[in-house]
C-alpha cells in the first residue's frame, strides 16, 4: 500500500505545542502569502441570493434566476440564504465535527488516511517529498455512490456523528439537484441538462471537514493554497464567526464574510467546461489567524466517475440563450 513520503505531523498538534514559529515546510513563497501585494481591504463581496420562495416549493422566478445566473457568470461564488435546509441539522453537523477534531489524538489516529484514497483523517495531500504544506487538518469521506461509502472509515465518536453526517449530506445533495436545474435554465436549456450530463441518479459526492487551528505566524502560511475545485458544485458550510475564505476576483483577493445560516456555493471546473466557460470556476484560498480556530464542511457534488463530459454545441447554446433572453424580456413586459 502506498504511504506518505514522510511522517505526517498533524497541524493541530503543532498549534497546541506552544511553539512560536511554524515549521519551514508550512512557509509559503512570498508571492503566495496573504500579505503579498495586499492593498486596502476590498469593499466587494460575493453575491447573496435568497431562494426562500423556491425552497418552499414555488416556481423559479425570473429575478432569482437572473441573480443566480449572474453570480455564476461574474463570480463563480455566491452565498445562499433561505435555502430550506433544516437549521438543526446544519448546527448539529458543525457541532459533531468540531467535537471530533477536539478528541484525543490517539482516537483520531484510528482513522488515519493514506494516499490511496485519502479517505479518513489527514493533514496533507500529495506524495511529493518535502512539499509545501497547508496549515489544516481534515477528514475526507466518500458519500455517493453508495457502493463507495465505507462506514468503517467513518468516525464512531462522537456517537451521533455518522447519523448527523448522513442526514446533512442527504439534505445538501437535494439542494444540489435543485441548483443544477436552476443552472441549466440559466443557460436557456432544459432543466434536466446538468442532471443528465452528471449521470442522472448516479452522481458522485464526497465530504471534507476542514479544521484550521490557530497559527502563531499566519502571515507566512495558508490554511488551503490557491486552487479551483475540479468537480461540479461545492457547497460549503462555513464558520459564521471566523473569516478565512478568499475568492479571486479581477486579480484581487476578496475575503468572504459569511452570513449566519447561509451556505457558500461555488462552481467547479467541470461545470465551467460544460457551460462553455459561461459559468466560472473561481480561484480561492483559505487564510488562517493566530487568535481563533476555524471549521468548515465542504460537500463536493460531482458527475459520475466514468462519464464522458464535453462542451455544449456553441450554436445551440447561442440559440438557447437568445430564447431565454426573449422569455425574460416578455416576463418583464408582462409584469410592467
Amino acid at each position: 500500500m502506498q504511504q506518505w513520503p514522510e511522517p505526517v505531523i498533524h497541524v493541530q498538534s503543532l498549534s497546541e505545542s506552544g511553539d512560536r514559529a511554524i515549521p519551514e515546510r508550512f512557509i509559503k513563497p512570498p508571492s503566495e502569502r496573504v500579505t503579498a501585494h495586499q492593498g486596502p481591504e476590498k469593499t466587494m463581496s460575493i453575491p447573496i441570493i435568497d431562494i426562500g420562495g423556491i425552497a418552499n416549493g414555488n416556481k423559479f422566478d425570473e429575478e432569482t434566476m437572473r441573480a443566480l445566473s449572474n453570480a455564476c457568470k461574474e463570480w463563480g461564488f455566491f452565498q445562499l440564504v433561505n435555502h430550506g435546509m433544516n437549521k438543526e441539522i446544519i448546527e448539529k453537523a458543525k457541532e459533531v465535527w468540531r467535537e471530533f477534531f477536539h478528541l484525543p489524538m490517539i482516537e483520531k489516529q484510528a482513522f488515519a488516511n493514506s494516499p490511496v484514497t485519502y479517505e479518513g483523517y489527514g493533514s496533507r495531500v500529495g506524495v511529493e517529498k518535502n512539499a509545501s504544506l497547508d496549515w489544516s487538518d481534515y477528514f475526507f469521506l466518500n458519500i455517493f455512490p453508495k457502493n463507495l461509502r465505507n462506514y468503517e472509515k467513518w468516525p464512531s465518536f462522537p456517537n451521533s456523528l455518522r447519523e448527523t453526517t448522513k442526514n446533512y449530506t442527504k439534505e445538501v445533495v437535494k439542494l444540489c439537484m435543485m441548483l443544477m436545474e436552476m443552472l441549466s435554465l440559466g443557460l436557456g436549456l432544459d432543466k434536466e441538462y446538468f442532471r443528465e450530463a452528471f449521470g442522472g441518479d448516479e452522481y458522485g459526492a464526497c465530504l471534507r471537514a476542514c479544521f484550521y487551528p490557530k497559527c502563531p505566524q499566519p502571515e507566512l502560511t495558508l490554511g488551503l493554497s490557491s486552487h479551483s475545485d475540479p468537480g461540479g458544485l461545492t457547497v460549503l458550510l462555513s464558520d459564521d464567526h471566523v473569516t478565512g475564505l478568499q475568492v479571486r476576483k479581477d486579480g484581487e483577493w476578496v475575503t468572504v464574510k459569511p452570513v449566519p445560516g447561509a451556505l457558500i456555493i461555488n462552481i467547479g471546473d467541470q461545470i465551467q467546461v460544460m457551460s462553455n466557460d459561461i459559468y466560472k470556476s473561481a480561484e480561492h484560498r483559505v487564510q488562517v489567524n493566530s487568535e481563533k480556530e476555524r471549521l468548515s464542511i465542504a460537500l463536493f457534488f460531482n458527475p459520475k466517475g466514468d462519464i464522458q463530459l464535453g462542451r455544449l454545441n456553441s450554436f445551440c447554446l447561442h440559440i438557447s440563450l437568445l430564447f431565454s433572453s426573449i422569455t425574460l424580456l416578455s416576463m418583464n413586459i408582462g409584469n410592467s
Side-chain angles (χ1 to χ4, degrees), residues 89-296:
I89 291 178
I90 286 177
E91 292 305 314
K92 188 64 175 178
K94 292 181 183 179
E95 176 187 324
V96 295
W97 278 106
R98 191 179 296 278
E99 189 174 340
F100 169 81
F101 283 109
H102 282 287
L103 288 172
M105 184 58 68
I106 191 171
E107 294 185 33
K108 292 181 288 190
Q109 277 291 87
F111 299 95
N113 68 354
S114 77
V116 177
T117 65
Y118 289 97
E119 194 164 19
Y121 175 58
S123 290
R124 63 175 297 161
V125 295
V127 293
E128 181 183 351
K129 194 171 184 179
N130 298 319
S132 175
L133 304 180
D134 291 335
W135 191 264
S136 63
D137 295 336
Y138 66 86
F139 204 108
F140 180 81
L141 287 174
N142 287 312
I143 307 297
F144 291 106
K146 287 186 177 180
N147 66 300
L148 292 182
R149 192 185 301 177
N150 181 3
Y151 286 117
E152 292 183 2
K153 296 285 189 179
W154 291 45
S156 50
F157 295 100
N159 292 330
S160 60
L161 186 146
R162 292 183 179 182
E163 188 65 25
T164 298
T165 301
K166 284 172 60 178
N167 292 337
Y168 174 74
T169 54
K170 180 180 179 181
E171 292 250 335
V172 176
V173 166
K174 180 180 177 182
L175 176 65
C176 287
M177 289 297 191
M178 182 179 70
L179 289 173
M180 298 275 276
E181 292 186 3
M182 296 177 72
L183 291 173
S184 298
L185 292 171
L187 293 174
L189 303 170
D190 183 88
K191 69 178 183 178
E192 297 295 322
Y193 167 70
F194 277 120
R195 177 187 173 92
E196 292 176 358
F198 270 47
D201 292 329
E202 298 184 51
Y203 51 82
C206 52
L207 178 139
R208 178 172 166 140
C210 301
F211 185 72
Y212 304 97
K214 291 183 284 188
C215 178
Q217 295 178 297
E219 71 281 1
L220 298 182
T221 190
L222 288 168
L224 194 60
S225 296
S226 176
H227 67 289
S228 62
D229 292 342
L233 281 175
T234 301
V235 179
L236 182 71
L237 179 56
S238 187
D239 196 309
D240 288 343
H241 307 291
V242 185
T243 60
L245 176 65
Q246 292 187 315
V247 178
R248 195 171 180 86
K249 168 69 170 171
D250 299 330
E252 302 288 347
W253 288 104
V254 178
T255 299
V256 176
K257 298 178 180 178
V259 174
L263 295 168
I264 299 173
I265 315 294
N266 68 276
I267 300 297
D269 296 344
Q270 295 185 48
I271 283 186
Q272 175 168 324
V273 170
M274 295 165 68
S275 69
N276 286 9
D277 297 333
I278 293 174
Y279 294 151
K280 306 302 182 186
S281 177
E283 189 179 356
H284 52 286
R285 67 186 184 185
V286 175
Q287 57 182 340
V288 292
N289 66 67
S290 60
E291 301 298 326
K292 297 178 181 179
E293 65 185 37
R294 180 173 174 269
L295 173 78
S296 66

